[in-house]
């Protein structure tokens, strides 16, 4: 089955059609997409900004990571689920929209960076989290996270602009 045929199947599906044709469902799902974004990328930015030394300098990093991790993981779950629904309702348009494909590429890179951070550093935060000078790899992961998730948000915001012209 080609990507286009699969996209047409999703677009013509009951979920895709009812989301597209309902007056309230699409904006509610898109609203949840943005709430998920605020909980996920929004909270992640606070962790990254703490690591690079911009905010909460007196709050220990292990404490911030431990307290915010469940919330940001919940936020990512909401964003990914609502993103999939938005995609189903506009599948044929999205697979031909370069900015959407760039967004998925940046999500992949940001996800790989987050997985690397978690496996290499996140789980051992008690070992390095109180150090006066943080490991270079930790700071690199934080700057990469700030940059890549910003690109995800910018390309996400460009979708409605570039897909309705
Ligand atoms: C954490 C990851 C994600 C972030 C930060 C994100 C962010 C955004 C943002 C900021 C918008 C613009 C909303 C607006 O203001 O109108 C958007 C739209 C959109 N997102 Fe995401 N998104 C994410 C994941 C996904 C995923 C995984 C998918 C699908 C597989 C997806 C599909 C879409 C679609 C289709 C739209 C356009 C909706 C429209 O036509 O208005 N998103 N996203």
């Amino acid at each position: 089955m080609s990507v286009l045929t699969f996209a047409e199947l999703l677009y013509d599906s009951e979920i895709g059609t009812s989301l597209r044709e309902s007056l309230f469902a699409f904006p509610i799902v898109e609203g949840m997409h943005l709430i998920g974004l605020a909980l996920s990328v929004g909270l992640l930015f606070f962790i990254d900004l703490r690591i690079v030394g911009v905010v909460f300098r007196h709050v220990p990093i292990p404490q911030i990571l431990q307290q915010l991790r469940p919330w940001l993981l919940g936020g990512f779950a909401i964003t990914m689920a609502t993103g999939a629904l938005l995609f189903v309702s506009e599948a044929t348009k999205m697979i031909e929209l370069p900015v959407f494909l760039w967004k998925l590429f940046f999500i992949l890179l940001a996800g790989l960076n987050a997985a690397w951070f978690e496996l290499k550093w996140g789980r051992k935060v008690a070992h390095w989290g109180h150090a006066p000078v943080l490991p270079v790899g930790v700071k690199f992961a934080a700057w990469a996270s700030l940059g890549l998730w910003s690109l995800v948000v910018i390309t996400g915001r460009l979708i409605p602009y570039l897909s309705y012209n």
Side-chain angles (χ1 to χ4, degrees):
M1 187 189 304
S2 72
V3 174
L4 182 59
T5 314
F6 181 62
E8 279 164 358
L9 267 180
L10 293 178
Y11 186 86
D12 294 331
S13 70
E14 211 170 310
I15 293 180
T17 308
S18 47
L19 252 178
R20 236 183 358 267
E21 294 178 354
S22 157
L23 188 59
F24 295 111
F26 189 93
I28 289 171
V29 171
E30 185 143 49
M32 292 297 296
H33 197 55
L34 295 175
I35 291 168
L37 156 70
L39 273 178
S40 56
V41 178
L43 291 179
L44 189 58
F45 273 22
F46 277 110
I47 294 174
D48 295 334
L49 291 171
R50 169 63 186 87
I51 288 174
V52 299
V54 175
V55 297
F56 301 140
R57 289 184 195 197
H58 305 299
V59 184
I61 293 174
Q63 198 180 327
I64 293 188
L65 257 180
Q66 198 198 352
Q67 294 200 13
L68 294 186
R69 194 186 272 125
W71 290 96
L72 71 88
L73 290 177
F76 275 115
I78 295 170
T79 309
M80 296 300 177
T82 52
L85 285 174
L86 293 171
F87 176 75
V88 167
S89 74
E90 302 179 294
T92 47
K93 208 167 32 177
M94 289 303 132
I95 58 161
E96 292 177 347
L97 196 63
V99 77
F100 177 73
L101 303 177
W102 276 110
K103 178 182 170 186
L104 290 185
F105 177 62
F106 293 137
I107 291 174
L108 177 70
L109 291 184
L112 288 173
N113 181 52
W116 174 70
F117 173 83
E118 196 57 30
L119 294 174
K120 184 144 176 65
W121 306 101
R123 293 189 295 178
K124 300 176 219 149
V125 66
H127 298 168
W128 54 266
H130 300 282
V133 180
L134 298 177
V136 175
V138 168
K139 287 195 176 170
F140 173 82
W143 281 114
S145 172
L146 287 167
L148 289 167
W149 287 115
S150 299
L151 288 170
V152 172
V153 173
I154 293 165
T155 48
R157 190 63 200 112
L158 281 170
I159 293 174
Y161 281 103
L162 298 178
S163 65
Y164 295 127
N165 291 330

